Amino acid sequence: MLKGIAASSGVVLAKAYKLEQPVLDIVKKEVDPETEIVHFHECLEKTKKDILVIQEKAKGRLSDEELAIFDAHLMVCDDPEFTGQIEEMIKADNVNADYATNEVGNMFITMFESMDDAYFRERAADIKDVTFRIKCHLLGKVLPDLSLISEETVIVAHDLTPSDTAQLNKQFTKGFATAIGGRTSHSAIMARSLEIPAVVGINGLLDEVKHGDFIILDALDGIVIINPNETEIHDYSKKAERFHELKMSLKVLKDADSVTSDGHHVELVGNIGNPNDADSVLNNGGEGVGLYRTEFLYMDSQALPTEEEQFVAYKKVLERMGKRPVVVRTLDIGGDKELPYLPFPHEMNPFLGYRAIRLCLDRKDIFRTQVRALLRASVFGRLCIMFPMIATLDEFRAAKTFVLEEKAVLKSEGVDVSNEIQIGMMVEIPAAAVLADQFAKEADFLSIGTNDLIQYSMAADRMSEKVAYLYQPFNPAILRLIKMTIDGGHSQGKWVGMCGEMAGEELAVPVLLGLGLDEFSMSASSILQARKMVRSLSYAEMKKLAAEALTKSTYDEVVELIKKSLNK
Ligand code: PEP
Ligand code: MG
């Protein structure tokens, strides 16, 4: 049994699919060339089949130019120059096919890499890719690819990149387990928005779990059981059933009001990572989108997404949400979110470096494309634009001015832009929380990003499982920063939301309610549970609870106080 951090709730029992680059051990051996050549051809066919499946699955997601890479890979498999030389070597030297493939492959790779023509140099990458795939088949190793999964599995990996997570096929991916990460790492956030159970930050995971092992993933208690016995299978199947029933029972609250027992209204909205997630928000009774993380659009592309591509995505969400508000966050790239096609300067502390609004204000070309797409889409719904990682009022002013200038340009081009757009900001840097009243004079709304606010206030990397104990939403210092932000916003008559993961945590809802938070934005799968909670609480009581929490001195004292008040 392995222990990790429960990141997206649920219980699943399925086979493990290890997403790990295999290590190939290639040694020269003497073999019977006849059978070896048959084996080589079988593996060549398997390789071609893989490539065709991957290409088919990528249709619609990749551009024609990108899809053509797979054609180039198939051409390598069918090239008699390449396969013929491998066969000849097997025959002439009586050597094993993986050895011959490796030798011939390397020879071609070196040859192409040394050519002057860029086109030929790129072919070296194709040959590398294809020979690796053939060698894996020859050695019976699995070369993992998310699009090749065709049975129910739990993905086991060191970490999943946001684009891996975005590619997960929900039909077969029943859950995932990763060796690193915490509740607010991006793979965890994506798992919640896809409603896929996940346990992250599991020490020793890759050493213990083998590809194909049957495992139980208990993402309620953060546990993985490898090759369980009959009793465990029985008990956890029951636990999975109970969880499913609980989820079903919450469905009756889908159209209910988010109102406390004494009549105080709040808004419960969803966080999304791509336009299709808007459906999960609506299916779970969300009253809007409180955070659309647009960086996933950039991370899923092979180049900066064009204005038109972005316009289509934003319009889709706005139309889907109709009259409900949609808060779209401008590009929040950098830190742990990199773009393969946009080189970042090397920095010692990328989380404290060139990222998010800092990059956008420096790269106005990139920012302009996004802002224009957003403004054009604004007429299709209720758009709120939100800037990430604002540290100073100067940054906020510069970003807001830029939006207003682009709006004027579009209008002069005869393009329709809504006059109802709200322009707000995230409060996720402590300096902004402390100065919230000043920001609120110029921002239409504030949204607290606790994932980063906690990371920066506690000086604890949110990706590190070693310091995960410092991710303390209930530390009184954090509660005071949240209170300053809410009070600061309200002092200027502005609404204040929260789109960090804390907003959806069961124990946090009562205190946040008491502190006067107006909008709670969370993973779609948490909305109904939060609504049930809000409806069961009294605002007057929660105000008292929040006031008392602010007088405490440690995380544990606050948690104890909340549990006591909820009779837990
Ligand atoms: C946050 O920091 O709380 C937040 C919502 O943004 P992200 O998790 O994308 O950094
Ligand atoms: Mg953030």
Side-chain angles (χ1 to χ4, degrees):
M1 184 190 285
L2 302 172
K3 187 98 188 81
I5 300 162
S8 173
S9 49
V11 180
V12 270
L13 298 85
K15 269 192 183 171
Y17 185 96
K18 255 179 128 171
L19 196 66
E20 195 185 23
Q21 198 77 344
V23 181
L24 304 183
D25 188 17
I26 296 176
V27 269
K28 190 174 180 181
K29 287 185 215 134
E30 205 177 309
V31 295
D32 165 34
E34 298 275 297
T35 33
E36 197 65 4
I37 287 175
V38 174
H39 180 44
F40 171 66
H41 278 283
E42 280 167 4
C43 293
L44 198 60
E45 285 310 310
K46 283 186 193 164
T47 304
K48 283 201 258 181
K49 214 171 122 206
D50 284 355
I51 299 169
L52 283 169
V53 173
I54 298 169
Q55 185 180 40
E56 195 51 41
K57 296 262 167 75
K59 278 188 187 150
R61 245 188 335 102
L62 300 184
S63 67
D64 287 349
E65 198 186 327
E66 287 151 358
L67 287 170
I69 294 175
F70 299 109
D71 290 329
H73 287 190
L74 289 169
M75 269 160 65
V76 175
C77 296
D78 286 330
D79 185 350
E81 243 329 271
F82 175 64
T83 57
Q85 287 207 32
I86 297 172
E87 279 184 43
E88 263 170 43
M89 188 167 186
I90 298 174
K91 256 192 254 165
D93 302 344
N94 291 352
V95 287
N96 42 326
D98 48 300
Y99 179 79
T101 307
N102 197 43
E103 291 291 303
V104 175
N106 283 346
M107 193 260 295
F108 276 106
I109 293 163
T110 320
M111 187 172 95
F112 279 108
E113 272 175 349
S114 62
M115 288 188 180
D116 286 337
D117 189 324
Y119 173 82
F120 286 110
R121 281 203 306 276
E122 277 163 29
R123 300 288 71 77
D126 295 335
I127 301 172
K128 231 184 240 174
D129 230 293
V130 172
T131 45
F132 193 70
R133 202 171 274 288
I134 302 173
K135 286 185 287 185
C136 283
H137 277 301
L138 285 166
L139 291 166
K141 298 258 182 175
V142 188
L143 177 55
D145 190 302
L146 291 173
S147 51
L148 293 177
I149 297 177
S150 56
E151 61 175 336
E152 292 198 348
T153 45
V154 170
I155 304 213
V156 171
H158 176 67
D159 190 20
L160 289 176
T161 65
S163 54
D164 284 337
T165 330
Q167 274 182 54
L168 296 180
N169 176 341
K170 270 187 77 172
Q171 190 190 348
F172 298 122
T173 308
K174 293 296 155 195
F176 72 72
T178 64
I180 67 158
R183 257 193 78 76
T184 62
S185 55
H186 282 94
S187 47
I189 290 171
M190 285 298 276
R192 285 195 287 279
S193 72
L194 290 165
E195 299 186 59
I196 294 177
V199 179
V200 300
I202 310 167
N203 249 325
L205 178 72
L206 296 177
D207 297 332
E208 302 292 339
V209 181
K210 287 196 294 300
H211 187 78
D213 274 349
F214 188 73
I215 60 175
I216 293 174
L217 181 88
D218 173 359
L220 297 175
D221 287 325
I223 287 168
V224 171
I225 303 174
I226 310 161
N227 297 323
N229 61 31
E230 289 291 315
T231 322
E232 286 167 329
I233 293 177
H234 174 265
D235 292 352
Y236 280 91
S237 303
K238 283 266 169 282
K239 192 169 180 181
E241 245 169 64
R242 282 197 303 274
F243 179 74
H244 183 70
E245 278 160 17
L246 171 73
K247 267 187 99 167
M248 289 299 119
S249 73
L250 288 172
K251 292 277 176 203
V252 296
L253 293 176
K254 189 171 161 236
D255 298 315
D257 260 356
S258 306
V259 61
T260 59
S261 58
D262 50 351
H264 175 72
H265 276 268
V266 290
E267 282 200 26
L268 298 181
V269 296
N271 291 349
I272 65 171
N274 69 57
N276 294 334
D277 295 346
D279 286 335
S280 313
V281 173
L282 291 173
N283 292 339
N284 284 287
E287 296 158 83
V289 168
L291 168 64
Y292 174 6
R293 291 183 162 95
T294 58
E295 56 272 16
F296 293 116
L297 193 69
Y298 291 71
M299 296 167 94
D300 273 346
S301 307
Q302 309 295 317
L304 285 167
T306 62
E307 183 180 316
E308 200 52 32
E309 282 164 348
Q310 296 194 51
F311 168 72
V312 170
Y314 306 149
K315 174 171 177 265
K316 188 169 172 187
V317 177
L318 285 161
E319 278 185 337
R320 193 76 191 86
M321 298 307 292
K323 290 197 168 57
R324 301 173 182 86
V326 174
V327 180
V328 183
R329 178 172 74 184
T330 59
L331 183 60
D332 183 9
I333 209 73
D336 62 328
K337 296 175 280 193
E338 290 177 353
L339 297 178
Y341 50 83
L342 187 74
F344 281 84
H346 179 73
E347 293 175 301
M348 290 291 280
N349 292 301
F351 269 109
L352 302 179
Y354 183 65
R355 54 174 302 200
I357 200 68
R358 304 165 183 189
L359 179 141
C360 285
L361 290 175
D362 181 48
R363 290 289 307 266
K364 295 261 173 54
D365 53 329
I366 296 177
F367 198 29
R368 180 171 294 111
T369 308
Q370 179 169 45
V371 168
R372 280 178 64 96
L374 280 169
L375 293 171
R376 282 175 52 203
S378 65
V379 290
F380 296 96
R382 271 182 64 193
L383 175 67
C384 306
I385 298 178
M386 172 162 81
F387 307 124
M389 299 289 299
I390 295 283
T392 68
L393 202 50
D394 300 321
E395 283 174 335
F396 180 76
R397 283 179 184 148
K400 182 173 170 179
T401 306
F402 186 78
V403 171
L404 298 179
E405 280 168 5
E406 288 306 315
K407 182 174 167 186
V409 172
L410 276 171
K411 287 200 156 178
S412 72
E413 289 170 9
V415 180
D416 218 7
V417 179
S418 164
N419 284 323
E420 311 282 300
I421 305 172
Q422 291 196 17
I423 301 182
M425 57 176 268
M426 290 199 65
V427 174
E428 52 186 341
I429 294 179
V434 173
L435 214 59
D437 56 334
Q438 299 301 321
F439 282 101
K441 287 180 182 162
E442 301 180 34
D444 294 324
F445 64 93
L446 307 176
S447 182
I448 308 171
T450 43
N451 307 341
D452 279 315
L453 185 64
I454 298 171
Q455 153 167 274
Y456 295 129
S457 305
M458 307 297 286
D461 184 342
R462 64 194 260 189
M463 287 297 287
S464 163
E465 69 281 6
K466 285 266 188 253
V467 295
Y469 74 97
L470 286 170
Y471 174 75
Q472 296 194 349
F474 301 105
N475 186 300
I478 302 295
L479 294 184
R480 289 187 191 193
L481 285 170
I482 294 171
K483 179 177 163 47
M484 284 180 105
T485 311
I486 297 174
D487 291 351
H490 289 175
S491 73
Q492 305 302 322
K494 304 296 168 62
W495 64 267
V496 182
M498 177 179 288
C499 57
E501 294 307 304
M502 182 178 182
E505 285 184 26
E506 219 178 320
L507 289 182
V509 172
V511 186
L512 297 173
L513 200 56
L515 288 171
L517 191 73
D518 303 299
E519 180 235 40
F520 297 61
S521 190
M522 58 194 77
S523 311
S525 54
S526 304
I527 295 175
L528 291 171
Q529 180 67 38
R531 180 162 298 144
K532 184 176 173 193
M533 183 130 221
V534 168
R535 292 171 62 85
S536 72
L537 300 170
S538 131
Y539 182 45
E541 288 300 317
M542 291 310 108
K543 275 202 228 174
K544 284 190 215 151
L545 171 72
E548 196 177 342
L550 289 165
T551 65
K552 299 291 178 197
S553 43
T554 67
Y555 174 93
D556 289 341
E557 283 172 24
V558 174
V559 170
E560 197 185 320
L561 172 75
I562 302 171
K563 284 190 173 164
K564 207 169 85 200
S565 89
L566 297 177
N567 288 327
K568 279 207 160 202

